[in-house]
Amino acid sequence: MSTMTATVPIESDAPIPTWFGVGGKAKRLAHPRTLDELRQCLELDPKLRILGDGANLLVADGGVDELVVALDQGDFAQMSVDAATGMVLAGAGVNLPKLILETTRLGLGGLENLGGIPASVGGAVIMNAGGQFGQTGDYVHAVHAMTRAGEPVTLKRNQIEFTYRHSRFGDHKGLIITGAQFKLKRAESEQLRTKLKDVMAYKKTTQPMAERSAGCAFKNPILRDDLPGVAVAGSKVSAGMLIDKAGCKGLKIGGAQVSDRHGNFLCAGQGCRASDVLKLMREVRSRVQAKFGLMLEPEVAIWGETL
Ligand code: EPU
């Protein structure tokens, strides 16, 4: 038999690692190393799901039937940085915090604003991950992707439609991000390091970073009407603040609990199941709806269930 192209190994009944640490298994899991191997995965299941760092993901207790693909090996885990031009090329599976450390060290500015966000590069691009200091799309020059038919494509920044916590990528039927190009600006490495420390310190004091969670569970809503005592129509308000004002901090269902520190963090404790987190999300959403008349939208990706 000719073995020009290696066959990508498929694991069965594999755990899906997420920061929540709850949820079911993948019937099939693959770690392709090249575009060819990713193409093989697409032939097996065109509806495959891409697993990033699992930092913003809740998997239902029943797991998922689709092939799960982790782009954390081979070409997808490579990065190259051109310190002179500020161009950075990173595979979809590159760890964002590691990339930030590297660009900061080399005196390239921008990504330090994303400090403390746990993500793969692909995951950060898909959801335009960010916070008060910046969002991923601000630094993206182009994105390399593959269609579900196995065709490689490159999208320029203006074709990506970045908005708050959203991009044109995103469901498990659309384009698969294989890598991203960032355009960064030359800066003093020492200043970047200080900024990175500040960004991370802000998160540490306001968020329960040591607990098992997916960061913010809901998106910050834009108010359609004035909310007296909160903000005026048209402003984006902190979902965490609304959850807090609705009296949900500390609320517990099964092993899942709303953080005492930040209302938008739902944390998984001992014995927690994905169904506990889902129930808690529904309860929080309905309390906020009852108090403020607005419906929070999930920010966390949910596999195998709908909220
Ligand atoms: N606040 C409360 N109670 C709370 C939480 C917040 O009163 O329980 C108040 C704070 O005191 C502050 C305001 O709400 O005055 C805003 O809070 P914060 O700075 O924590 O920002 P946020 O809007 O709640 C956003 C992002 C976070 C990001 C932080 C910091 C979303 C949904 N959340 O939170 O992103 O880390 O800014 O940059 O956009 C994530 O995406 O997973 C995430 C955690």
Side-chain angles (χ1 to χ4, degrees):
M1 194 177 92
S2 143
T3 49
M4 287 293 283
T5 308
T7 307
V8 61
I10 308 285
E11 292 168 41
S12 25
D13 277 326
I16 304 175
T18 66
W19 284 57
F20 266 128
V22 301
K25 293 184 171 173
K27 287 213 170 101
R28 294 168 299 161
L29 174 73
H31 297 264
R33 289 154 294 190
T34 61
L35 290 178
D36 266 339
E37 290 189 0
L38 176 57
R39 223 170 264 125
Q40 287 176 34
C41 294
L42 278 163
E43 278 163 20
L44 285 172
D45 184 359
K47 288 194 181 141
L48 58 79
R49 293 175 181 271
I50 301 289
L51 176 66
D53 201 41
N56 196 46
L57 175 63
L58 178 64
V59 179
D61 292 314
V64 290
D65 294 334
E66 298 88 2
L67 172 64
V68 174
V69 167
L71 298 177
D72 55 358
Q73 311 273 321
D75 295 349
F76 303 113
Q78 300 297 318
M79 60 166 128
S80 71
V81 180
D82 185 336
T85 61
M87 290 303 275
V88 173
L89 179 61
V94 166
N95 179 262
L96 181 68
K98 271 196 196 145
L99 180 64
I100 296 172
L101 280 182
E102 185 63 0
T103 54
T104 301
R105 189 178 70 79
L106 292 169
L108 291 177
L111 298 182
E112 71 285 355
N113 292 313
L114 307 179
I117 298 177
S120 62
V121 162
V125 169
I126 286 178
M127 64 165 301
N128 194 12
Q132 318 287 13
F133 310 96
Q135 43 190 5
T136 307
D138 299 343
Y139 316 107
V140 167
H141 179 70
V143 169
H144 302 298
M146 186 178 268
T147 67
R148 296 272 160 176
E151 287 296 317
V153 289
T154 296
L155 281 87
K156 298 235 174 65
R157 190 206 145 70
N158 59 8
Q159 297 173 290
I160 301 171
E161 299 154 26
F162 286 115
T163 51
Y164 168 69
R165 293 297 197 277
H166 188 265
S167 73
R168 66 173 288 165
F169 304 102
D171 74 27
H172 66 287
K173 292 166 198 118
L175 288 172
I176 295 166
I177 296 178
T178 52
Q181 245 178 307
F182 298 92
K183 174 95 177 98
L184 306 179
K185 292 208 171 78
R186 285 226 56 88
E188 257 317 303
S189 179
E190 209 42 55
Q191 275 172 15
L192 297 177
R193 226 188 297 258
T194 306
K195 180 70 198 286
L196 178 59
K197 272 195 196 140
D198 292 348
V199 173
M200 296 191 46
Y202 177 78
K203 281 183 78 101
K204 268 198 193 126
T205 51
T206 55
Q207 301 176 1
M209 290 176 75
E211 291 186 54
R212 281 160 50 195
S213 83
C216 286
F218 296 99
K219 291 183 183 177
N220 286 347
I222 294 173
L223 297 184
R224 222 180 299 154
D225 307 299
D226 289 355
L227 264 190
V230 178
V232 293
S235 23
K236 177 139 39 95
V237 293
S238 162
M241 188 249 285
L242 296 173
I243 294 167
D244 187 357
K245 284 188 188 286
C248 299
K249 270 189 172 168
L251 184 69
K252 204 171 173 201
I253 296 184
Q257 186 166 21
V258 178
S259 165
D260 284 321
R261 190 172 300 183
H262 194 296
N264 207 359
F265 278 65
L266 307 194
C267 303
Q270 280 260 315
C272 186
R273 298 178 58 76
S275 57
D276 297 337
V277 181
L278 284 161
K279 281 182 204 149
L280 189 60
M281 284 183 81
R282 291 181 189 121
E283 181 61 26
V284 162
R285 190 176 61 173
S286 88
R287 289 192 189 196
V288 168
Q289 162 98 48
K291 177 139 181 108
F292 297 109
L294 56 84
M295 186 78 149
L296 292 178
E297 251 186 78
E299 195 220 61
V300 52
I302 303 171
W303 284 5
E305 258 284 0
T306 45
L307 196 62

